Amino acid sequence: MFKVSVALATGFALFCGANAGKAQKLDFLATGSPLKAAPADKEIVAALRATSAERIHRNIETLVNFKNRMTTSSMETDLPAGTGILAAAEYIKGQFETISKDCGGCLEVKEDVFIQPGSSAPGSRITKDTKLINIYAVLKGTDPAQSKRMYLVTGHYDTRVIDMTNTHDFAPGANDDTSGTAVSMECARILSKHKFPATIIFATVPGEEQGLNGSAHLAKLAKEEGWDLEGVLNNDIVGGNTTPGELHQSKTRVRVFSESVPQNATVEEMRRLIQYGNESDTPSRELAREVLDVSRTYFPVVGSAVPPASIKPVMEMRLDRYGRGGDHRSFNEEGFAGVRFTEWREDYHHQHQDVRTEGGIEYGDLLKFDDFDYIAKVARVNAATLATLASAPGTPQGATMSARNQDNNSVMKFSIPDGAPADAWYQVVWRETDASDWQYGAKASMYDEKVEGTTHTITVPISKDNVFFGIRSCDTKGHCSAAAAPVPEVPVRNGPRPGAGRS
């Protein structure tokens, strides 16, 4: 007994001696490194510096002066000249055309005109056939192979008061959503001075207050015409409400809402997402993470590459606010990734209200409650995201995770995006399962990588059970795409269902 104990003690001592000084590392820390902010692109910085709070103010004030932009005002014949939604549409179109003229005709300005059918059903917000006009300007990508990829920014230019049939009384809508409309217009102005490999679309839509009618039509058009639309940024209520006495507003935060399970997912797709815990790794959620990633480059917490003070996008893990909806949902329903930007804290006295003072409270969505410097910050976040995505190679395609290997490796496949430049490189990113944003990353080429045509297979020595993975494509300047989350492969089996009878 004594001899055995001595032998065990000696063996343990030898083991400890051999491993002395070797710190134990979790597998997801033993490879790769913490993600760092990408280097700032001087051209993007120049575009962001050109953002003008004064011009945003001017556009919002002009649109407010059209008095009432109720969607159904397009059918009224007794409105005074220079009022109503059609007059506002003409102004927006004219601004896009002026921007295009200033950049040598770089924008193709388009109208998507259609008739929204009316209904006499109780609760209908459009009671008669109504003319709607989506207005959008296309900045065509310069790379023939990559210009098919598109990114879109939008806001809605219709407004309302309490009574959804009131097309005449003052409905300024300075925040909801003239602020978002102004963001799209300002992004067009500053980004049109620059060139990008992929295409950017600057849109404004009506009919949001009646049920997302304008965006629904534009999203269906995109689907029918086969747009390769990789991301939609919807700005709705980004005015930075400045109600006197508001103690909890933040002028350095903006919320970014994104869907989890896709609106158009099949039952089988939903089941698989839930089974593997990937419901927070959908394309829209990855787009939201890209907004955060871009902001770490251009709007750091301390100091800023782009004055004035920085702004922090905050990822909200839900499609939208409680009981509310926005135009990004229309694109989600057609299968496109899309997110919504909204100010940190809303004042509901200034939304969907008749302009009045009652009980000492001032109601109405008035110009004086907008913070134009804040709106300019939000415009910069949008512009930086659009410019980065339009500069980067596209999102890797067909990413999968092997469910066959019963070991602690993660075997992933992906195909390079169409039109990717020859010098593009690919990055694996990951985060712990209780984290909402990417934490670590490494070049795919540092792992056991096999390339067959356009398909890459990599084996990462990290347990797929303890982290979530993504794969991004990047160019030599550090512009990276939104990540593609590997979808678990579904092995073909004739026997029992996967995992049956196992612990």
Side-chain angles (χ1 to χ4, degrees):
M1 184 72 175
F2 175 75
K3 290 181 179 179
V4 173
S5 298
V6 170
L8 286 172
T10 303
F12 181 72
L14 290 171
F15 172 81
C16 291
N19 290 276
K22 292 183 179 179
Q24 186 182 34
K25 266 193 174 182
L26 300 173
D27 61 359
F28 64 83
L29 298 174
T31 183
S33 58
L35 283 177
K36 297 180 180 179
D41 182 317
K42 292 181 180 179
E43 274 207 53
I44 295 177
V45 170
L48 302 185
R49 288 186 182 278
T51 307
S52 169
E54 291 75 20
R55 189 174 294 269
I56 288 170
H57 185 166
R58 191 185 317 156
N59 278 327
I60 293 176
E61 186 171 28
T62 301
L63 287 166
V64 164
N65 287 337
F66 288 111
K67 190 175 181 181
N68 183 308
R69 285 173 280 137
M70 180 75 75
T71 297
T72 51
S73 71
S74 68
M75 307 307 290
E76 303 292 357
T77 58
D78 63 343
L79 292 174
T83 64
I85 196 166
L86 293 183
E90 280 299 311
Y91 172 76
I92 294 169
K93 181 184 177 185
Q95 290 300 297
F96 280 145
E97 289 172 340
T98 298
I99 292 169
S100 183
K101 183 178 179 181
D102 290 344
C103 63
C106 71
L107 297 179
E108 184 180 4
V109 181
K110 295 187 175 187
E111 289 184 325
D112 169 31
V113 184
F114 64 101
I115 300 297
Q116 182 68 33
S119 172
S120 59
S124 174
R125 294 186 175 188
I126 294 185
T127 57
K128 60 183 177 181
D129 293 356
T130 299
K131 180 180 180 180
L132 276 74
I133 307 175
N134 293 319
I135 308 154
Y136 61 102
V138 182
L139 179 63
K140 184 76 172 177
T142 57
D143 186 313
Q146 297 192 67
S147 61
K148 294 179 182 178
R149 273 191 301 117
M150 300 178 180
Y151 302 92
L152 183 147
V153 59
T154 188
H156 73 86
Y157 67 94
D158 60 305
T159 65
R160 61 164 290 188
V161 288
I162 294 173
D163 181 357
M164 290 294 289
T165 66
N166 187 334
T167 57
H168 287 67
D169 289 341
F170 190 33
N175 193 356
D176 183 16
D177 179 39
T178 316
S179 62
T181 298
V183 165
S184 185
M185 295 169 72
E186 186 65 1
C187 284
R189 188 184 71 83
I190 63 175
L191 294 181
S192 63
K193 309 295 185 184
H194 303 271
K195 306 295 182 184
F196 305 97
T199 296
I200 303 176
I201 300 175
F202 311 95
T204 64
V205 299
E208 194 271 352
E209 301 291 4
Q210 285 67 36
L212 315 181
N213 303 124
S215 59
H217 195 271
L218 186 59
K220 285 183 173 64
L221 176 70
K223 188 75 170 181
E224 290 168 0
E225 293 188 352
W227 294 9
D228 186 6
L229 188 55
E230 288 204 345
V232 173
L233 309 182
N234 174 37
N235 291 265
D236 197 346
I237 310 179
V238 292
N241 166 59
T242 57
T243 303
E246 170 58 69
L247 302 177
H248 305 294
Q249 180 66 288
S250 170
K251 297 304 180 72
T252 60
R253 290 182 169 217
V254 62
R255 294 180 288 177
V256 184
F257 291 89
S258 59
E259 68 173 1
S260 55
V261 177
Q263 299 289 298
N264 68 335
T266 65
V267 172
E268 181 57 35
E269 288 169 338
M270 288 189 281
R271 183 179 292 120
R272 195 183 312 171
L273 283 171
I274 294 169
Q275 176 184 351
Y276 290 96
N278 289 119
E279 59 269 26
S280 191
D281 281 274
T282 57
S284 293
R285 198 56 56 82
E286 305 301 11
L287 178 60
R289 291 188 178 99
E290 184 64 16
V291 173
L292 271 58
D293 188 69
V294 169
S295 295
R296 283 189 285 271
T297 292
Y298 296 99
F299 314 103
V301 175
V302 179
S304 180
V306 185
S310 63
I311 184 168
K312 178 183 179 181
V314 177
M315 188 162 68
E316 302 288 351
M317 310 287 274
R318 48 172 57 104
L319 171 63
D320 213 316
R321 301 144 304 149
Y322 269 79
R324 309 291 292 280
D327 288 318
H328 59 304
R329 179 169 186 154
S330 295
F331 290 93
N332 292 161
E333 289 176 347
E334 295 298 332
F336 300 115
V339 301
R340 173 189 179 132
F341 291 87
T342 299
E343 66 190 19
W344 183 249
R345 187 174 171 88
E346 302 168 65
D347 189 324
Y348 299 101
H349 295 136
H350 302 153
Q351 295 177 22
H352 307 171
Q353 292 287 341
D354 297 335
V355 177
R356 68 194 190 283
T357 298
E358 189 175 283
I361 298 173
E362 191 169 17
Y363 293 85
D365 193 351
L366 297 166
L367 187 71
K368 67 180 181 179
F369 297 123
D370 275 0
D371 181 333
F372 305 105
D373 287 332
Y374 178 84
I375 301 169
K377 293 179 188 179
V378 176
R380 292 187 186 102
V381 174
N382 278 259
T385 303
L386 292 165
T388 299
L389 289 171
S391 298
T395 303
Q397 301 297 302
T400 61
M401 172 76 74
S402 174
R404 297 174 183 271
N405 60 306
Q406 298 295 306
D407 56 34
N408 286 314
N409 289 323
S410 297
V411 181
M412 291 172 275
K413 288 184 180 180
F414 65 92
S415 295
I416 67 173
D418 292 340
D423 57 0
W425 57 279
Y426 302 93
Q427 182 186 47
V428 183
V429 292
W430 62 91
R431 68 183 193 278
E432 296 178 69
T433 56
D434 62 349
S436 62
D437 196 11
W438 301 123
Q439 297 170 302
Y440 311 98
K443 284 189 175 183
S445 58
M446 74 173 283
Y447 299 113
D448 181 12
E449 183 178 29
K450 298 177 182 178
V451 181
E452 298 179 10
T454 60
T455 300
H456 293 230
T457 302
I458 55 175
T459 301
V460 181
I462 300 175
S463 172
K464 51 191 168 293
D465 298 320
N466 299 333
V467 299
F468 291 112
F469 284 104
I471 302 168
R472 306 196 299 184
S473 60
C474 306
D475 69 3
T476 54
K477 292 184 178 180
H479 306 114
C480 290
S481 72
V487 176
E489 290 179 346
V490 181
V492 178
R493 286 185 172 91
N494 296 320
R497 64 180 176 83
R502 298 180 185 176
S503 62

